[in-house]
Amino acid sequence: KAGVTQTPRYLIKTRGQQVTLSCSPISGHRSVSWYQQTPGQGLQFLFEYFSETQRNKGNFPGRFSGRQFSNSRSEMNVSTLELGDSALYLCASSLGGGGPDTQYFGPGTRLTVL
Amino acid sequence: DAKTTQPPSMDCAEGRAANLPCNHSTISGNEYVYWYRQIHSQGPQYIIHGLKNNETNEMASLIITEDRKSSTLILPHATLRDTAVYYCIVRPANTGNQFYFGTGTSLTVIP
């Protein structure tokens, strides 16, 4: 099976712009979670989508939003970019059912805000 | 909120077993122990998980103490490619998919 894919892999934006990142989960996985990784804060959970609905949300401002499509692909949007949004954005997919639900991560999108 | 404590760094000689400890003294009965690793700037890679019994797969072994307050990840024959940050995470089975990553252990395999 193909793994989790994320596009683009690298992105450079300027302050005030907005950005959309894309994630394609492993075939058959219905849950997609997004994380932000920075040197100062480490890996932090943004939100999770399951069956096109946001199921969990971390402690991030409303500028960070996401959605999931019927084919389980997900997008994450960050509006009004700030310098502090520079980070590695990771997407992880899982089956999403009950019980232990192992997440598999993509390679990430490296966002640089100038 | 990370509920685990790991040493910040460890070294291991190539070919030897790497034993990475994790303390999770407040673990609840329904919480699983997961291990992931992250090679520089790549996405975290799933290694193994367990509830109370020891587990083994092609990558590693997970030893969980009887009181479940600590665990050890064992890489039986470490190679240079095992140099990475290793994260120990505890997570309930019946909650949403949010993994709380702590600071992990930076393992360096030395030739």
Short mmCIF file of all heavy atoms in Angstrom, two decimals, chain B residues 49-104:
data_model
loop_
_atom_site.label_atom_id
_atom_site.label_comp_id
_atom_site.label_asym_id
_atom_site.label_seq_id
_atom_site.Cartn_x
_atom_site.Cartn_y
_atom_site.Cartn_z
N HIS B 49 3.46 -0.87 19.66
CA HIS B 49 2.64 -0.44 20.77
C HIS B 49 2.21 -1.65 21.58
O HIS B 49 2.25 -2.80 21.10
CB HIS B 49 1.43 0.37 20.30
CG HIS B 49 0.33 -0.45 19.67
ND1 HIS B 49 0.36 -0.83 18.34
CD2 HIS B 49 -0.82 -0.94 20.17
CE1 HIS B 49 -0.72 -1.51 18.06
NE2 HIS B 49 -1.46 -1.61 19.15
N GLY B 50 1.80 -1.39 22.83
CA GLY B 50 1.35 -2.47 23.69
C GLY B 50 0.49 -1.96 24.83
O GLY B 50 0.50 -0.78 25.14
N LEU B 51 -0.23 -2.88 25.44
CA LEU B 51 -1.10 -2.53 26.57
C LEU B 51 -0.51 -3.03 27.89
O LEU B 51 -0.25 -2.25 28.79
CB LEU B 51 -2.49 -3.12 26.37
CG LEU B 51 -3.53 -2.78 27.44
CD1 LEU B 51 -3.77 -1.28 27.50
CD2 LEU B 51 -4.83 -3.53 27.20
N LYS B 52 -0.31 -4.30 28.01
CA LYS B 52 0.27 -4.83 29.24
C LYS B 52 1.28 -5.95 28.96
O LYS B 52 2.20 -6.15 29.73
CB LYS B 52 -0.81 -5.31 30.20
CG LYS B 52 -1.72 -6.38 29.65
CD LYS B 52 -2.71 -6.86 30.71
CE LYS B 52 -3.83 -5.84 30.89
NZ LYS B 52 -4.90 -6.38 31.79
N ASN B 53 1.10 -6.65 27.87
CA ASN B 53 2.03 -7.73 27.55
C ASN B 53 3.21 -7.22 26.76
O ASN B 53 3.12 -6.20 26.09
CB ASN B 53 1.32 -8.81 26.74
CG ASN B 53 0.17 -9.44 27.51
OD1 ASN B 53 0.29 -9.67 28.72
ND2 ASN B 53 -0.93 -9.68 26.83
N ASN B 54 4.31 -7.94 26.84
CA ASN B 54 5.46 -7.59 26.01
C ASN B 54 5.11 -7.85 24.56
O ASN B 54 4.36 -8.79 24.24
CB ASN B 54 6.68 -8.41 26.44
CG ASN B 54 7.08 -8.11 27.88
OD1 ASN B 54 6.77 -7.05 28.41
ND2 ASN B 54 7.75 -9.06 28.50
N GLU B 55 5.64 -7.04 23.67
CA GLU B 55 5.36 -7.15 22.25
C GLU B 55 6.66 -7.15 21.47
O GLU B 55 7.64 -6.53 21.89
CB GLU B 55 4.48 -5.98 21.78
CG GLU B 55 3.15 -5.83 22.48
CD GLU B 55 2.15 -6.88 22.10
OE1 GLU B 55 2.35 -7.56 21.08
OE2 GLU B 55 1.12 -7.01 22.82
N THR B 56 6.63 -7.85 20.35
CA THR B 56 7.80 -7.89 19.47
C THR B 56 7.33 -7.84 18.03
O THR B 56 6.33 -8.47 17.68
CB THR B 56 8.63 -9.16 19.70
OG1 THR B 56 9.17 -9.14 21.02
CG2 THR B 56 9.80 -9.24 18.72
N ASN B 57 8.03 -7.06 17.22
CA ASN B 57 7.79 -7.10 15.78
C ASN B 57 9.14 -7.07 15.08
O ASN B 57 10.19 -7.24 15.73
CB ASN B 57 6.86 -5.97 15.32
CG ASN B 57 7.43 -4.59 15.57
OD1 ASN B 57 8.64 -4.42 15.73
ND2 ASN B 57 6.55 -3.60 15.62
N GLU B 58 9.13 -6.86 13.78
CA GLU B 58 10.37 -6.95 13.02
C GLU B 58 11.33 -5.80 13.32
O GLU B 58 12.51 -5.87 13.00
CB GLU B 58 10.07 -6.97 11.51
CG GLU B 58 9.41 -5.71 10.97
CD GLU B 58 7.91 -5.65 11.22
OE1 GLU B 58 7.37 -6.59 11.84
OE2 GLU B 58 7.30 -4.66 10.78
N MET B 59 10.82 -4.75 13.94
CA MET B 59 11.68 -3.60 14.23
C MET B 59 12.25 -3.63 15.64
O MET B 59 13.40 -3.24 15.86
CB MET B 59 10.90 -2.30 14.06
CG MET B 59 10.59 -1.91 12.63
SD MET B 59 9.76 -0.32 12.55
CE MET B 59 11.06 0.78 13.11
N ALA B 60 11.41 -4.02 16.61
CA ALA B 60 11.80 -3.83 18.00
C ALA B 60 10.99 -4.72 18.93
O ALA B 60 10.04 -5.38 18.51
CB ALA B 60 11.60 -2.36 18.38
N SER B 61 11.38 -4.68 20.21
CA SER B 61 10.61 -5.32 21.27
C SER B 61 10.21 -4.26 22.28
O SER B 61 10.95 -3.30 22.52
CB SER B 61 11.42 -6.40 21.97
OG SER B 61 11.72 -7.47 21.09
N LEU B 62 9.03 -4.44 22.86
CA LEU B 62 8.53 -3.53 23.88
C LEU B 62 8.32 -4.33 25.15
O LEU B 62 7.55 -5.31 25.15
CB LEU B 62 7.22 -2.88 23.43
CG LEU B 62 6.47 -2.02 24.45
CD1 LEU B 62 7.34 -0.86 24.91
CD2 LEU B 62 5.16 -1.51 23.86
N ILE B 63 9.01 -3.92 26.20
CA ILE B 63 8.88 -4.58 27.49
C ILE B 63 8.16 -3.63 28.43
O ILE B 63 8.64 -2.51 28.67
CB ILE B 63 10.25 -4.94 28.09
CG1 ILE B 63 11.11 -5.71 27.07
CG2 ILE B 63 10.09 -5.73 29.38
CD1 ILE B 63 10.51 -7.04 26.65
N ILE B 64 7.01 -4.04 28.95
CA ILE B 64 6.22 -3.22 29.87
C ILE B 64 6.27 -3.87 31.24
O ILE B 64 6.01 -5.08 31.36
CB ILE B 64 4.76 -3.08 29.39
CG1 ILE B 64 4.72 -2.49 27.98
CG2 ILE B 64 3.95 -2.23 30.36
CD1 ILE B 64 3.33 -2.44 27.36
N THR B 65 6.61 -3.10 32.27
CA THR B 65 6.68 -3.67 33.61
C THR B 65 5.30 -4.12 34.08
O THR B 65 4.27 -3.66 33.56
CB THR B 65 7.25 -2.65 34.60
OG1 THR B 65 6.41 -1.48 34.60
CG2 THR B 65 8.67 -2.26 34.24
N GLU B 66 5.30 -4.98 35.06
CA GLU B 66 4.04 -5.57 35.51
C GLU B 66 3.07 -4.50 36.04
O GLU B 66 1.86 -4.60 35.84
CB GLU B 66 4.31 -6.60 36.61
CG GLU B 66 3.12 -7.49 36.91
CD GLU B 66 3.49 -8.68 37.78
OE1 GLU B 66 4.69 -9.04 37.83
OE2 GLU B 66 2.58 -9.24 38.42
N ASP B 67 3.61 -3.48 36.70
CA ASP B 67 2.74 -2.42 37.21
C ASP B 67 2.43 -1.37 36.14
O ASP B 67 1.68 -0.43 36.39
CB ASP B 67 3.35 -1.74 38.44
CG ASP B 67 4.67 -1.03 38.14
OD1 ASP B 67 5.06 -0.94 36.96
OD2 ASP B 67 5.33 -0.59 39.08
N ARG B 68 3.00 -1.56 34.96
CA ARG B 68 2.77 -0.70 33.77
C ARG B 68 3.25 0.73 33.96
O ARG B 68 2.93 1.59 33.16
CB ARG B 68 1.30 -0.70 33.37
CG ARG B 68 0.73 -2.06 33.09
CD ARG B 68 -0.37 -2.13 32.07
NE ARG B 68 -1.30 -1.02 32.15
CZ ARG B 68 -1.56 -0.21 31.13
NH1 ARG B 68 -0.96 -0.37 29.97
NH2 ARG B 68 -2.42 0.76 31.27
N LYS B 69 4.04 0.99 34.97
CA LYS B 69 4.50 2.35 35.20
C LYS B 69 5.74 2.72 34.38
O LYS B 69 6.17 3.88 34.38
CB LYS B 69 4.76 2.57 36.69
CG LYS B 69 3.48 2.52 37.51
CD LYS B 69 3.72 2.85 38.96
CE LYS B 69 2.40 2.87 39.72
NZ LYS B 69 2.59 3.24 41.14
N SER B 70 6.32 1.76 33.74
CA SER B 70 7.46 2.06 32.87
C SER B 70 7.56 1.01 31.78
O SER B 70 6.96 -0.07 31.87
CB SER B 70 8.77 2.13 33.67
OG SER B 70 9.08 0.87 34.20
N SER B 71 8.31 1.35 30.75
CA SER B 71 8.52 0.42 29.65
C SER B 71 9.90 0.66 29.04
O SER B 71 10.54 1.69 29.29
CB SER B 71 7.43 0.57 28.58
OG SER B 71 7.42 1.87 28.02
N THR B 72 10.34 -0.31 28.25
CA THR B 72 11.62 -0.20 27.57
C THR B 72 11.45 -0.65 26.13
O THR B 72 10.87 -1.71 25.87
CB THR B 72 12.69 -1.09 28.24
OG1 THR B 72 12.86 -0.68 29.60
CG2 THR B 72 14.03 -0.96 27.52
N LEU B 73 11.92 0.16 25.22
CA LEU B 73 11.98 -0.20 23.82
C LEU B 73 13.35 -0.77 23.55
O LEU B 73 14.36 -0.16 23.89
CB LEU B 73 11.73 1.01 22.93
CG LEU B 73 11.80 0.75 21.43
CD1 LEU B 73 10.54 0.00 20.96
CD2 LEU B 73 11.96 2.04 20.64
N ILE B 74 13.39 -1.93 22.92
CA ILE B 74 14.67 -2.57 22.64
C ILE B 74 14.85 -2.72 21.14
O ILE B 74 14.02 -3.33 20.46
CB ILE B 74 14.76 -3.97 23.30
CG1 ILE B 74 14.60 -3.85 24.82
CG2 ILE B 74 16.09 -4.64 22.95
CD1 ILE B 74 14.51 -5.17 25.53
N LEU B 75 15.92 -2.11 20.63
CA LEU B 75 16.35 -2.34 19.25
C LEU B 75 17.46 -3.37 19.34
O LEU B 75 18.54 -3.06 19.84
CB LEU B 75 16.85 -1.05 18.61
CG LEU B 75 15.92 0.16 18.69
CD1 LEU B 75 16.58 1.38 18.05
CD2 LEU B 75 14.59 -0.13 18.03
N PRO B 76 17.25 -4.59 18.88
CA PRO B 76 18.18 -5.68 19.22
C PRO B 76 19.59 -5.51 18.66
O PRO B 76 20.55 -5.90 19.32
CB PRO B 76 17.49 -6.92 18.65
CG PRO B 76 16.51 -6.42 17.67
CD PRO B 76 16.10 -5.05 18.11
N HIS B 77 19.73 -4.99 17.47
CA HIS B 77 21.05 -4.82 16.86
C HIS B 77 21.07 -3.45 16.18
O HIS B 77 20.71 -3.33 15.00
CB HIS B 77 21.34 -5.92 15.85
CG HIS B 77 21.21 -7.31 16.39
ND1 HIS B 77 22.13 -7.86 17.26
CD2 HIS B 77 20.25 -8.24 16.23
CE1 HIS B 77 21.74 -9.08 17.59
NE2 HIS B 77 20.60 -9.34 16.99
N ALA B 78 21.44 -2.44 16.93
CA ALA B 78 21.34 -1.07 16.42
C ALA B 78 22.27 -0.85 15.23
O ALA B 78 23.42 -1.32 15.21
CB ALA B 78 21.68 -0.08 17.53
N THR B 79 21.76 -0.13 14.24
CA THR B 79 22.56 0.28 13.09
C THR B 79 22.60 1.80 13.03
O THR B 79 21.83 2.48 13.73
CB THR B 79 21.98 -0.26 11.77
OG1 THR B 79 20.76 0.45 11.49
CG2 THR B 79 21.70 -1.75 11.86
N LEU B 80 23.46 2.32 12.18
CA LEU B 80 23.57 3.78 12.07
C LEU B 80 22.24 4.40 11.65
O LEU B 80 21.93 5.54 12.02
CB LEU B 80 24.67 4.15 11.07
CG LEU B 80 26.08 3.67 11.43
CD1 LEU B 80 27.07 4.09 10.34
CD2 LEU B 80 26.52 4.20 12.77
N ARG B 81 21.44 3.65 10.89
CA ARG B 81 20.15 4.17 10.44
C ARG B 81 19.11 4.25 11.56
O ARG B 81 18.03 4.80 11.36
CB ARG B 81 19.61 3.31 9.30
CG ARG B 81 20.35 3.50 8.00
CD ARG B 81 19.76 2.68 6.89
NE ARG B 81 19.92 1.26 7.12
CZ ARG B 81 19.50 0.31 6.29
NH1 ARG B 81 18.88 0.63 5.19
NH2 ARG B 81 19.68 -0.95 6.57
N ASP B 82 19.45 3.71 12.73
CA ASP B 82 18.54 3.83 13.87
C ASP B 82 18.75 5.13 14.63
O ASP B 82 18.03 5.40 15.61
CB ASP B 82 18.73 2.64 14.82
CG ASP B 82 18.27 1.32 14.21
OD1 ASP B 82 17.24 1.33 13.49
OD2 ASP B 82 18.94 0.30 14.44
N THR B 83 19.73 5.93 14.24
CA THR B 83 19.93 7.23 14.87
C THR B 83 18.71 8.11 14.59
O THR B 83 18.36 8.36 13.44
CB THR B 83 21.20 7.91 14.33
OG1 THR B 83 22.34 7.16 14.76
CG2 THR B 83 21.31 9.34 14.83
N ALA B 84 18.03 8.52 15.66
CA ALA B 84 16.76 9.24 15.53
C ALA B 84 16.32 9.71 16.90
O ALA B 84 16.93 9.37 17.92
CB ALA B 84 15.69 8.33 14.93
N VAL B 85 15.24 10.48 16.93
CA VAL B 85 14.56 10.82 18.18
C VAL B 85 13.44 9.82 18.39
O VAL B 85 12.61 9.62 17.49
CB VAL B 85 14.01 12.25 18.17
CG1 VAL B 85 13.26 12.55 19.47
CG2 VAL B 85 15.14 13.26 17.98
N TYR B 86 13.41 9.19 19.55
CA TYR B 86 12.42 8.16 19.86
C TYR B 86 11.40 8.73 20.87
O TYR B 86 11.78 9.24 21.91
CB TYR B 86 13.10 6.92 20.43
CG TYR B 86 13.86 6.16 19.37
CD1 TYR B 86 15.09 6.61 18.90
CD2 TYR B 86 13.32 5.01 18.81
CE1 TYR B 86 15.76 5.93 17.89
CE2 TYR B 86 13.99 4.31 17.82
CZ TYR B 86 15.21 4.79 17.37
OH TYR B 86 15.86 4.11 16.37
N TYR B 87 10.15 8.61 20.52
CA TYR B 87 9.07 9.13 21.35
C TYR B 87 8.27 7.99 21.97
O TYR B 87 7.84 7.07 21.26
CB TYR B 87 8.12 10.00 20.53
CG TYR B 87 8.71 11.25 19.95
CD1 TYR B 87 9.16 11.29 18.63
CD2 TYR B 87 8.80 12.42 20.71
CE1 TYR B 87 9.68 12.44 18.09
CE2 TYR B 87 9.33 13.57 20.18
CZ TYR B 87 9.77 13.58 18.87
OH TYR B 87 10.29 14.73 18.33
N CYS B 88 8.05 8.10 23.26
CA CYS B 88 7.19 7.17 23.98
C CYS B 88 5.90 7.93 24.30
O CYS B 88 5.95 9.05 24.83
CB CYS B 88 7.89 6.73 25.26
SG CYS B 88 6.89 5.85 26.45
N ILE B 89 4.77 7.36 23.97
CA ILE B 89 3.49 8.06 24.12
C ILE B 89 2.49 7.11 24.78
O ILE B 89 2.43 5.93 24.44
CB ILE B 89 2.94 8.46 22.73
CG1 ILE B 89 3.95 9.32 21.97
CG2 ILE B 89 1.60 9.18 22.86
CD1 ILE B 89 3.69 9.37 20.49
N VAL B 90 1.72 7.64 25.72
CA VAL B 90 0.62 6.86 26.26
C VAL B 90 -0.68 7.46 25.76
O VAL B 90 -0.84 8.67 25.70
CB VAL B 90 0.63 6.79 27.80
CG1 VAL B 90 1.87 6.05 28.28
CG2 VAL B 90 0.56 8.16 28.42
N ARG B 91 -1.60 6.61 25.39
CA ARG B 91 -2.82 7.09 24.75
C ARG B 91 -3.97 6.12 25.02
O ARG B 91 -3.83 4.93 24.81
CB ARG B 91 -2.57 7.21 23.26
CG ARG B 91 -3.77 7.61 22.46
CD ARG B 91 -3.40 7.76 21.00
NE ARG B 91 -4.59 7.85 20.20
CZ ARG B 91 -5.23 6.80 19.69
NH1 ARG B 91 -4.76 5.58 19.88
NH2 ARG B 91 -6.31 6.96 18.97
N PRO B 92 -5.09 6.66 25.45
CA PRO B 92 -6.26 5.79 25.64
C PRO B 92 -6.72 5.21 24.31
O PRO B 92 -6.55 5.83 23.26
CB PRO B 92 -7.31 6.72 26.24
CG PRO B 92 -6.56 7.90 26.72
CD PRO B 92 -5.36 8.03 25.85
N ALA B 93 -7.33 4.06 24.36
CA ALA B 93 -7.81 3.42 23.14
C ALA B 93 -9.12 4.02 22.66
O ALA B 93 -9.46 3.91 21.51
CB ALA B 93 -7.99 1.92 23.36
N ASN B 94 -9.85 4.65 23.53
CA ASN B 94 -11.21 5.04 23.15
C ASN B 94 -11.39 6.55 23.05
O ASN B 94 -12.48 7.06 23.22
CB ASN B 94 -12.20 4.47 24.18
CG ASN B 94 -11.89 4.94 25.59
OD1 ASN B 94 -10.85 5.54 25.83
ND2 ASN B 94 -12.80 4.70 26.51
N THR B 95 -10.34 7.27 22.78
CA THR B 95 -10.48 8.71 22.60
C THR B 95 -10.11 9.06 21.17
O THR B 95 -9.68 8.22 20.40
CB THR B 95 -9.59 9.52 23.56
OG1 THR B 95 -8.24 9.18 23.32
CG2 THR B 95 -9.95 9.23 24.99
N GLY B 96 -10.25 10.30 20.84
CA GLY B 96 -9.91 10.73 19.50
C GLY B 96 -8.43 10.56 19.22
O GLY B 96 -7.63 10.31 20.09
N ASN B 97 -8.13 10.69 17.96
CA ASN B 97 -6.77 10.44 17.52
C ASN B 97 -5.86 11.62 17.75
O ASN B 97 -5.50 12.32 16.83
CB ASN B 97 -6.78 10.05 16.04
CG ASN B 97 -7.00 8.57 15.88
OD1 ASN B 97 -6.78 7.81 16.80
ND2 ASN B 97 -7.44 8.18 14.72
N GLN B 98 -5.47 11.86 18.98
CA GLN B 98 -4.48 12.88 19.24
C GLN B 98 -3.36 12.26 20.05
O GLN B 98 -3.57 11.78 21.16
CB GLN B 98 -5.08 14.09 19.95
CG GLN B 98 -6.03 13.77 21.06
CD GLN B 98 -6.85 14.99 21.45
OE1 GLN B 98 -6.65 16.07 20.95
NE2 GLN B 98 -7.78 14.81 22.37
N PHE B 99 -2.21 12.24 19.46
CA PHE B 99 -1.03 11.75 20.15
C PHE B 99 -0.29 12.94 20.74
O PHE B 99 -0.04 13.92 20.06
CB PHE B 99 -0.11 11.02 19.17
CG PHE B 99 -0.54 9.62 18.87
CD1 PHE B 99 -1.64 9.37 18.08
CD2 PHE B 99 0.17 8.54 19.37
CE1 PHE B 99 -2.04 8.07 17.80
CE2 PHE B 99 -0.22 7.23 19.09
CZ PHE B 99 -1.32 6.99 18.31
N TYR B 100 0.04 12.86 22.03
CA TYR B 100 0.80 13.91 22.66
C TYR B 100 2.27 13.49 22.70
O TYR B 100 2.64 12.60 23.45
CB TYR B 100 0.28 14.18 24.06
CG TYR B 100 -1.10 14.81 24.05
CD1 TYR B 100 -2.22 14.04 24.32
CD2 TYR B 100 -1.27 16.15 23.74
CE1 TYR B 100 -3.48 14.61 24.30
CE2 TYR B 100 -2.52 16.72 23.71
CZ TYR B 100 -3.63 15.94 23.99
OH TYR B 100 -4.88 16.50 23.97
N PHE B 101 3.05 14.15 21.88
CA PHE B 101 4.47 13.85 21.80
C PHE B 101 5.22 14.69 22.82
O PHE B 101 5.04 15.89 22.89
CB PHE B 101 5.01 14.18 20.40
CG PHE B 101 4.58 13.21 19.34
CD1 PHE B 101 3.31 13.27 18.79
CD2 PHE B 101 5.45 12.23 18.88
CE1 PHE B 101 2.92 12.38 17.81
CE2 PHE B 101 5.06 11.34 17.90
CZ PHE B 101 3.79 11.40 17.36
N GLY B 102 6.08 14.05 23.61
CA GLY B 102 6.94 14.80 24.50
C GLY B 102 8.20 15.22 23.76
O GLY B 102 8.16 15.44 22.55
N THR B 103 9.29 15.29 24.48
CA THR B 103 10.56 15.70 23.87
C THR B 103 11.37 14.53 23.37
O THR B 103 12.30 14.70 22.61
CB THR B 103 11.40 16.53 24.85
OG1 THR B 103 11.53 15.79 26.07
CG2 THR B 103 10.73 17.86 25.14
N GLY B 104 11.03 13.31 23.78
CA GLY B 104 11.67 12.12 23.27
C GLY B 104 13.11 11.94 23.71
O GLY B 104 13.67 12.73 24.46
#
